[in-house]
Amino acid sequence: MTGTPGPVVELTGVSKTYGDVRALKDADLVIHRGELLAVVGPSGSGKSTMLNIMGTLDRPSAGTVRIDGYDVDRLSDRELSALRAQTIGFVFQQFHLAPGVPALDSVADGLLYSGRSRGERRRLAERALRRVGLGHRLYHQPHQLSGGEKQRVAIARAVLGDPPLLLADEPTGALDSRSGAVVLDLLHELHRAGTTVVVITHDRDIAACLPREVRIKDGGIEYDTARRHTGGRTGERTGTPATAVLEEATR
Ligand SMILES: Nc1ncnc2c1ncn2[C@@H]1O[C@H](COP(=O)(O)OP(=O)(O)OP(=O)(O)O)[C@@H](O)[C@H]1O
Ligand SMILES: [Mg+2]
């Protein structure tokens, strides 16, 4: 499946209700290829709901979701899984690494259903681990890795197949500020290499150091730096480097 040119994510009038909870209300959001942005908002504002919908892990109650040009609603579950596998990498706050499994295998297992041989999977996994600076930790199991290293293993797994879109839900939420800064620097690096990166965070300092900020409150988008009319700022600003902000926060 190859996507059409155009935005990598396009949400139009997207709502999500859980019983009587309106977790997302009529959200419009366009993300172009090569963007790096934060979706920021307080706990319960609908950030993970939005990420799950963007990531095609969940379907909206109303509205249209286009990913890489495909209207998600028109795809069968099988086509949707294929689109997700080829297009989207996920990183979560809790790293979701299987206990007792060496980093190399944790990452290589991401390609289990890709039709590649075990040797090829491990070769690609090693390359991905080197890319995140963990060439010296290939055989370490999760309990032998620091939190920041675990998150870097999770990122290596997420970017293994070179997905054009990386969705990270509170990727630094479980980390101390220094490890968090390393992870953010890595996300910046992936962005520079061409990946579209969406960082979900409740931390306004982290959001402020990314080129675009989408603020969500009570399930609605209240501010988007890419839309001049909502705030007067544009998506042009480069902000403070992540490391500086996080180090400042620990002083
Ligand atoms: N499966 C569900 N069933 C019922 N309500 C839900 C469900 N998932 C989320 N909600 C509700 O929807 C709202 C938005 O939840 P969401 O997880 O998107 O928030 P969030 O912004 O990611 O918060 P946090 O920063 O705490 O992770 C919350 O009020 C939550 O209680
Ligand atoms: Mg959340």
Side-chain angles (χ1 to χ4, degrees):
M1 239 191 284
T2 17
T4 51
V8 65
V9 174
E10 199 171 358
L11 306 183
T12 313
V14 167
S15 298
K16 179 72 184 180
T17 49
Y18 297 106
D20 57 359
V21 178
R22 295 186 68 203
L24 205 57
K25 298 173 196 161
D26 199 22
D28 293 323
L29 183 68
V30 175
I31 301 174
H32 292 283
R33 276 156 227 284
E35 285 204 74
L36 167 59
L37 66 143
V39 174
V40 63
S43 179
S45 57
K47 304 181 297 296
S48 295
T49 302
M50 185 188 261
L51 177 128
N52 289 342
I53 288 175
M54 265 186 219
T56 76
L57 297 171
D58 207 353
R59 292 189 188 258
S61 311
T64 310
V65 179
R66 295 181 82 87
I67 301 298
D68 206 17
Y70 291 96
D71 182 343
V72 162
D73 207 31
R74 290 169 187 260
L75 301 181
S76 65
D77 284 346
R78 200 174 153 186
E79 289 169 326
L80 197 56
S81 302
L83 176 69
R84 191 186 309 127
Q86 286 170 27
T87 312
I88 310 172
F90 294 94
V91 175
F92 298 100
Q93 176 173 344
Q94 301 304 335
F95 325 108
H96 297 305
L97 300 178
V101 177
L104 188 65
D105 295 300
S106 267
V107 176
D109 285 353
L111 290 173
L112 260 185
Y113 305 106
S114 67
R116 291 181 170 90
S117 69
R118 182 162 183 265
E120 174 72 355
R121 294 199 302 267
R122 286 167 69 93
R123 195 184 63 74
L124 291 169
E126 181 172 340
R127 197 182 68 177
L129 282 163
R130 291 196 187 286
R131 190 175 178 194
V132 300
L134 286 180
H136 60 311
R137 293 287 184 266
L138 299 179
Y139 301 101
H140 280 231
Q141 298 174 19
H143 74 277
Q144 299 166 321
L145 295 167
S146 72
E149 287 171 341
K150 278 187 261 204
Q151 191 59 300
R152 285 191 277 156
V153 173
I155 292 173
R157 187 177 51 190
V159 300
L160 187 60
D162 258 328
L165 177 63
L166 184 65
L167 301 178
D169 194 347
E170 300 278 5
T172 62
L175 304 177
D176 64 77
S177 60
R178 197 162 292 274
S179 312
V182 171
V183 163
L184 282 175
D185 282 344
L186 180 58
L187 295 176
H188 275 277
E189 215 172 288
L190 293 167
H191 165 246
R192 279 194 294 275
T195 309
T196 307
V197 181
V198 182
V199 180
I200 303 271
T201 181
H202 64 273
D203 186 327
R204 295 180 75 148
D205 290 335
I206 288 178
C209 67
L210 300 187
R212 177 180 173 191
E213 198 179 327
V214 174
R215 283 191 208 146
I216 116 169
K217 193 181 167 192
D218 298 331
I221 294 176
E222 60 159 11
Y223 181 86
D224 181 348
T225 51
R227 289 185 175 191
R228 286 161 199 252
H229 67 269
T230 57
R233 283 193 279 169
T234 70
E236 301 293 310
R237 76 205 160 93
T238 48
T240 320
T243 322
V245 168
L246 281 160
E247 279 176 2
E248 185 65 34
T250 54
R251 261 181 220 135

